[in-house]
Amino acid sequence: MGSYNQSSNPPNTRGDVLGKSGISAAFGQRALQHFDFDPEYRNLNHASFGASPSAIRKKLCQFQDLAEAMPDQFIRYQAPDFLNESREAVAELLNAPTDTVVLVPNASVGVNTVLRNITWNEDSKDEILYFSTIYGACGKTIDYMVDSSQNRVSAREIRLRYPLEDDEVIAALRDAIEASAKSMKRTRVCLFDTVSSLPSVRLPFERITEICREAGILSLIDGAQGVGMIDIDLKALDPDFFVSNCHKWLYVPRSCAVLYVPLRNQAIITSSLPTSHGYIPKSETGRRFNPMPKQNKSAFINNFQFVGTLDTSAYLCVKDAIEWRRRILGGEPRIIEYTQTLAREGGKKVASILGTDVLDNKSASMSRCATTNVALPLRPGEAARAPEWMMETMISDYKTFIPLFSHSGRLWARISAQVYLDIQDFEWAGRMLLELCERVGKGEDIGWEHEHLRKWIPIMGQIPL
């Protein structure tokens, strides 16, 4: 695996950053030249933190340079125009009206923004539904809502044990809604993924949204693994709230996410997170001076236009990232087809090397995404003790990282497909994982935690040895 750097200097105009050629390049090794990975590092975990092409990161630096050169002129008067261009670009990609989307730092902020703006009823009957495969930070957010609501809201978990067919997931959702009603609860909102994190599988989020709509439940979709990875059509989907990271599969620099709130629900979102100048208090006597120039936007849009002094340069790169994907890689359909095909075929290759299997259902609906989950050939005791050692050893000995997790009594590896990878990378991953499992079988991981503590705790000055 190699790495190449682009030699062109950063251009002065938005369009030139994409290069002169409108012909899409090949994927795999040839696409790798657009990213700045260390030559020794093999990035098999795009799903966690994403990666941005060097051309877009140069654009990011240009925006940061403008902010440093003339802070007031850029932040107050120029940045809002670039921000609106980004909002328009991502709205078009998602097939949503521009005035329904704003940009926030990440999907967790988007989920927090929605849940913290909902007013819970005083009768303590409100309930939040969520699936057991929820992203950890979002699960903790629900815990906080329950803990801080003074018993006004509770939560109900829907247990999922994969592999499951979509109909089984839907049946579990219907059972939870019915159980909530029988418990004299009122399901206010259901939080669910497009593609969950661990295990990384596609949920039937379209059908879940329909059921929520039929039942009068607010649908909050955590699409952290969404835009740029799978097709999203918000007009057809019509959720109550949707958030998706742009810094993952869309190649926008970290950190940037899109938050969608249809017009019918914008009155619910009265404040950004944190509250800033765009907030409109209920009391006329509480109106305060807003030092930022008026943008003649709706209250919802203006709320998120300026949320304190943050480096929002990544937000301004959304339009460039979308256009780069079209000009250089051939556009969304081609990117999605390549990454999903590579994940599917690559997962089979890794499973073949390991002598195990891929986590999927008979209809293969779970794997219609750009990630794959492959079981590791470890005994139960090994699977319980070895994951942390294996993941740290991947970094130190193999210059890569693959998340490991337990599900349905087995240890799994989640591998991300990307345009800069090809089937040879998956073959390498399979051999690497097999070698790690063999090392575990020889007991190399035993005593690692103690040695790990011996190495780091004295440095941290926490305890003497």
Side-chain angles (χ1 to χ4, degrees):
M1 180 177 181
S3 179
Y4 307 88
N5 292 313
Q6 290 182 288
S7 59
S8 58
N9 293 322
N12 295 320
T13 61
R14 179 183 288 274
D16 289 342
V17 74
L18 304 170
K20 296 180 180 179
S21 174
I23 301 174
S24 58
F27 295 130
Q29 288 288 321
R30 291 185 62 186
L32 185 60
Q33 66 180 303
H34 299 295
F35 295 83
D36 290 325
F37 300 119
D38 186 292
E40 296 184 357
Y41 192 79
R42 197 179 300 247
N43 194 39
L44 300 171
N45 185 33
H46 189 100
S48 281
F49 305 115
S52 185
S54 56
I56 305 304
R57 290 175 53 245
K58 288 175 182 176
K59 192 65 184 180
L60 173 81
C61 292
Q62 290 176 35
F63 285 128
Q64 292 173 329
D65 289 345
L66 287 171
E68 293 302 316
M70 292 183 286
D72 282 286
Q73 177 175 321
F74 183 75
I75 295 173
R76 291 177 186 271
Y77 299 103
Q78 292 179 297
D81 291 333
F82 287 119
L83 178 60
N84 289 335
E85 289 183 18
S86 285
R87 290 178 42 251
E88 290 169 3
V90 74
E92 181 180 0
L93 180 64
L94 294 171
N95 194 21
T98 302
D99 57 0
T100 62
V101 301
V102 293
L103 298 175
V104 295
N106 53 58
S108 296
V109 170
V111 168
N112 271 264
T113 299
V114 173
L115 290 180
R116 291 170 189 253
N117 271 282
I118 293 175
T119 300
W120 309 105
N121 289 296
E122 298 289 344
D123 59 9
S124 299
K125 292 184 178 181
D126 288 346
E127 195 165 62
I128 303 171
L129 285 186
Y130 68 96
F131 292 91
S132 58
T133 52
I134 188 173
Y135 180 62
C138 293
K140 289 292 183 70
T141 300
I142 292 177
D143 294 340
Y144 173 78
M145 299 309 303
V146 172
D147 292 344
S148 63
S149 69
Q150 298 180 330
N151 298 318
R152 284 180 297 163
V153 63
S154 57
R156 184 178 299 270
E157 181 183 77
I158 306 170
R159 295 293 300 173
L160 296 181
R161 186 180 175 90
Y162 288 111
L164 293 170
E165 294 296 335
D166 289 351
D167 287 343
E168 295 176 289
V169 175
I170 296 303
L173 171 63
R174 293 189 186 278
D175 288 345
I177 294 173
E178 183 177 347
S180 180
K182 287 182 178 180
S183 301
M184 304 301 292
K185 292 290 186 177
R186 177 192 306 111
T187 304
R188 287 288 305 282
V189 60
C190 180
L191 172 58
F192 53 97
D193 299 292
T194 49
V195 177
S196 57
S197 179
L198 298 173
S200 188
V201 299
R202 180 172 177 145
L203 276 77
F205 61 91
E206 300 95 339
R207 293 176 62 186
I208 296 173
T209 304
E210 290 178 4
I211 291 171
C212 288
R213 184 162 49 247
E214 293 168 358
I217 299 169
L218 292 171
S219 54
L220 170 52
I221 303 180
D222 177 6
Q225 311 285 346
V227 61
M229 183 213 224
I230 59 176
D231 290 317
I232 302 289
D233 184 338
L234 291 180
K235 182 177 180 180
L237 186 60
D238 193 27
D240 287 300
F241 306 99
F242 173 86
V243 62
S244 186
N245 285 324
C246 299
H247 60 250
K248 290 195 177 184
W249 300 90
L250 200 60
Y251 306 157
V252 175
R254 306 178 196 94
S255 300
C256 176
V258 56
L259 171 62
Y260 163 83
V261 181
L263 295 177
R264 65 178 182 272
N265 292 329
Q266 289 185 5
I268 296 174
I269 309 301
T270 59
S271 175
S272 59
L273 187 67
T275 301
S276 192
H277 292 299
Y279 177 70
I280 300 176
K282 295 180 180 180
S283 171
E284 286 291 334
T285 58
R287 296 295 175 97
R288 303 180 189 279
F289 171 65
N290 184 346
M292 304 305 293
K294 292 183 178 180
Q295 297 298 320
N296 298 315
K297 298 293 179 183
S298 67
F300 171 68
I301 300 299
N302 198 51
N303 222 334
F304 294 85
Q305 196 82 15
F306 179 87
V307 185
T309 303
L310 301 171
D311 182 2
T312 57
S313 302
Y315 295 8
L316 314 184
C317 296
V318 172
K319 179 178 179 180
D320 297 289
I322 294 172
E323 182 64 9
W324 187 91
R325 289 162 65 88
R326 182 185 68 81
R327 292 277 301 278
I328 304 302
L329 299 179
E332 300 305 309
R334 187 174 178 200
I335 295 169
I336 291 173
E337 179 184 9
Y338 179 83
T339 54
Q340 292 192 8
T341 300
L342 179 59
R344 182 172 59 252
E345 298 305 318
K348 293 177 183 177
K349 178 66 68 174
V350 174
S352 175
I353 293 171
L354 296 177
T356 60
D357 48 79
V358 173
L359 183 61
D360 206 354
N361 51 21
K362 292 181 180 179
S363 63
S365 64
M366 290 167 51
S367 59
R368 289 190 295 115
C369 57
T371 49
T372 185
N373 310 276
V374 184
L376 298 184
L378 294 175
R379 293 186 291 269
E382 295 171 338
R385 74 169 194 254
E388 288 299 326
W389 175 84
M390 294 178 71
M391 287 187 285
E392 183 163 311
T393 303
M394 287 183 213
I395 292 288
S396 61
D397 293 7
Y398 301 93
K399 300 299 184 292
T400 193
F401 186 86
I402 297 174
L404 306 180
F405 64 96
S406 296
H407 186 77
S408 296
R410 303 177 74 180
L411 188 65
W412 302 83
R414 183 194 76 187
I415 309 176
S416 302
Q418 248 313 325
V419 298
Y420 49 74
L421 299 174
D422 54 32
I423 196 67
Q424 285 74 31
D425 292 298
F426 277 79
E427 291 175 350
W428 181 91
R431 293 192 298 271
M432 182 270 296
L433 289 169
L434 181 61
E435 185 173 301
L436 272 175
C437 290
E438 291 172 346
R439 293 174 65 177
V440 169
K442 296 176 182 177
E444 284 192 42
D445 61 304
I446 296 175
W448 167 81
E449 185 174 11
H450 176 68
E451 291 302 318
H452 187 70
L453 291 175
R454 285 180 59 87
K455 176 181 178 181
W456 291 110
I457 288 181
I459 296 175
M460 297 167 63
Q462 294 185 10
I463 61 173
L465 288 181

